[in-house]
Amino acid sequence: MLLLVPAEPLSGRRSEEQLAPEVKAAKGLGFEVCTVDHDALAAGDAAAAEREYLALQTYAERLIGFDSANFRWREFVAVAWQRLGSARLARQDPTAALADFETYRSQSQLLVAKDAANAAAHYDVANSEEKVGDALRALGRLEEARAAYQADEEALAPLVAAHPHNAVWRRSLAISRQRLGEASMQAGDRADAAEQFRACLAVDVPAEAWAPRDLWPRDIAAYCRRALEAAR
């Protein structure tokens, strides 16, 4: 039986370091483990990405069948839904992506219910709201998208306050405000858009928060400054 896991972004061949316990356990259960280079897929054929991530999600669910109480494996399942939704959104299928992201959200909420002290699980809940917002925005459901982005921001703010040295989470907070601002612009609410872009600029985002797989610009502050000028 084959298990597909995300590849480490800079190598494309090794599995991501944080999945090492899952890979070891899966091999112990007789799984053949192969990696999925989601960076290469995201940069190329969206249909191929969807096929790969659908396989990833299917095998992640099977892994849970061996140990339904395994918290880390449930995290893996949640992220598999997020990756599948991202591929479908890239393929311009926001309806399917929305269903995947809503499952990602419900799975992440279950993780928080199991371990309320787990900050990473809370981050996944926040990230799922961002993804839901992206799909809703693509569907033209702007008010619902704004509500999802607001939920994302509200979940991220206390995480960033509690973990101020986590640069990736700070960048995520800035992006949540940027996306809320853009959704507000689309909805014709320029005042709220300007407020959100100013809030984005208030987040200190170090350059090292940018990652090779990041689809957003390195300088999120410069991006929000330009957007703020457009909103005035």
Side-chain angles (χ1 to χ4, degrees), residues 1 19 63 65 79 95 110 124 136 149 179 188 198 202 221 226:
M1 189 175 293
L19 293 177
L63 195 59
V79 171
T95 300
L110 284 174
D124 271 325
L136 289 168
Y149 290 142
R179 290 190 180 184
R198 280 192 290 268
R226 290 193 298 270

Side-chain angles (χ1 to χ4, degrees), residues 203-223:
V203 182
D204 178 23
V205 181
E208 62 266 25
W210 186 85
R213 74 180 59 171
D214 201 335
L215 299 179
W216 290 94
R218 284 178 183 265
D219 193 343
I220 189 67
Y223 188 97

Side-chain angles (χ1 to χ4, degrees), residues 58-227:
T58 299
Y59 286 111
E61 294 281 2
R62 288 188 183 181
L63 195 59
I64 285 295
F66 287 96
D67 184 0
S68 61
N70 190 303
F71 188 89
R72 287 284 289 158
W73 290 4
R74 286 201 171 276
E75 285 183 310
F76 188 35
V77 168
V79 171
W81 280 108
Q82 183 265 333
R83 297 271 165 80
L84 179 59
S86 295
R88 286 175 166 164
L89 191 60
R91 197 171 59 79
Q92 299 184 356
D93 188 355
T95 300
L98 178 60
D100 295 334
F101 292 146
E102 287 175 336
T103 303
Y104 171 40
R105 179 171 60 188
S106 64
Q107 291 287 329
S108 299
Q109 289 169 339
L110 284 174
L111 291 172
V112 169
K114 287 179 177 292
D115 184 2
N118 190 306
H122 283 277
Y123 176 76
D124 271 325
V125 171
N127 186 244
S128 71
E129 295 288 3
E130 175 192 307
K131 299 300 182 182
V132 166
D134 289 345
L136 289 168
R137 189 174 163 200
L139 287 166
R141 293 159 60 178
L142 295 179
E143 290 308 313
E144 293 172 86
R146 291 170 74 183
Y149 290 142
Q150 186 65 50
D152 175 31
E153 194 275 342
E154 290 173 357
L156 280 170
L159 280 177
V160 170
H163 303 273
H165 300 298
N166 191 315
V168 173
W169 291 3
R170 294 212 307 273
R171 180 174 172 81
S172 293
L173 178 60
I175 289 173
S176 75
R177 292 171 174 171
Q178 177 268 330
R179 290 190 180 184
L180 182 54
E182 289 201 338
S184 294
M185 279 286 284
Q186 282 184 270
D189 189 347
R190 300 175 74 88
D192 183 70
E195 179 181 345
Q196 297 304 326
F197 293 138
R198 280 192 290 268
C200 171
L201 290 169
V203 182
D204 178 23
V205 181
E208 62 266 25
W210 186 85
R213 74 180 59 171
D214 201 335
L215 299 179
W216 290 94
R218 284 178 183 265
D219 193 343
I220 189 67
Y223 188 97
C224 283
R225 276 194 294 271
R226 290 193 298 270

Side-chain angles (χ1 to χ4, degrees), residues 4 41 45-57 84 87:
L4 299 173
L41 290 170
D45 188 342
E50 180 181 358
R51 289 193 297 271
E52 295 287 354
Y53 290 137
L54 183 58
L56 174 64
Q57 183 274 327
L84 179 59

